[in-house]
Amino acid sequence: VQWGPWGGVGMAAEESINARIQASGFGLITMAEAAPALAASLGAAGPAVQMLLLVDWSRFLGLLPVVPKALSAFAPSHAAAAAAAVPFEPTVRGCTPPPPPRPAHEQRLRGCWS
């Protein structure tokens, strides 16, 4: 399992570091989110490599001078960008059921069911 930054432990535990991580658009993983992700990754028919990374795509991509083509499916529209001015609350939490089918490249980046 490839883990994103953790809150409260590890390298991101220091307050100044976790503030910079969150300002960059990444959420901090909690044990409540990680435990079901780890359990799901140990299940029978999953891919060999899985990832849990909480990302606020509009915030993250908004920091880049140009959105890379590989991430363009995550770029918000102009209307969505205006609505994105609300506080960050990641939509991918632990191993909740996946959203409706998305392009394969996006599924690989969305979390424990990748």
Side-chain angles (χ1 to χ4, degrees):
V1 177
Q2 298 178 359
W3 301 103
W6 285 69
V9 296
M11 293 172 48
E14 184 182 321
E15 192 64 34
S16 64
I17 293 173
N18 92 28
R20 281 188 306 206
I21 289 170
Q22 292 181 68
S24 297
F26 295 98
L28 301 174
I29 299 169
T30 66
M31 183 59 79
E33 294 162 330
L38 180 60
S41 72
L42 298 174
V49 177
Q50 297 184 28
M51 176 180 192
L52 177 60
L53 180 64
L54 307 175
V55 182
D56 176 340
W57 288 107
S58 61
R59 182 177 293 175
F60 174 71
L61 296 174
L63 296 172
L64 302 177
V66 175
V67 175
K69 187 171 184 171
L71 299 178
S72 63
F74 297 98
S77 67
H78 293 294
V86 296
F88 172 58
E89 179 60 35
T91 55
V92 177
R93 291 284 191 187
C95 289
T96 56
R102 296 181 177 264
H105 69 277
E106 187 175 343
Q107 288 181 11
R108 286 192 298 272
L109 296 172
R110 289 203 55 96
C112 63
W113 59 82
S114 53

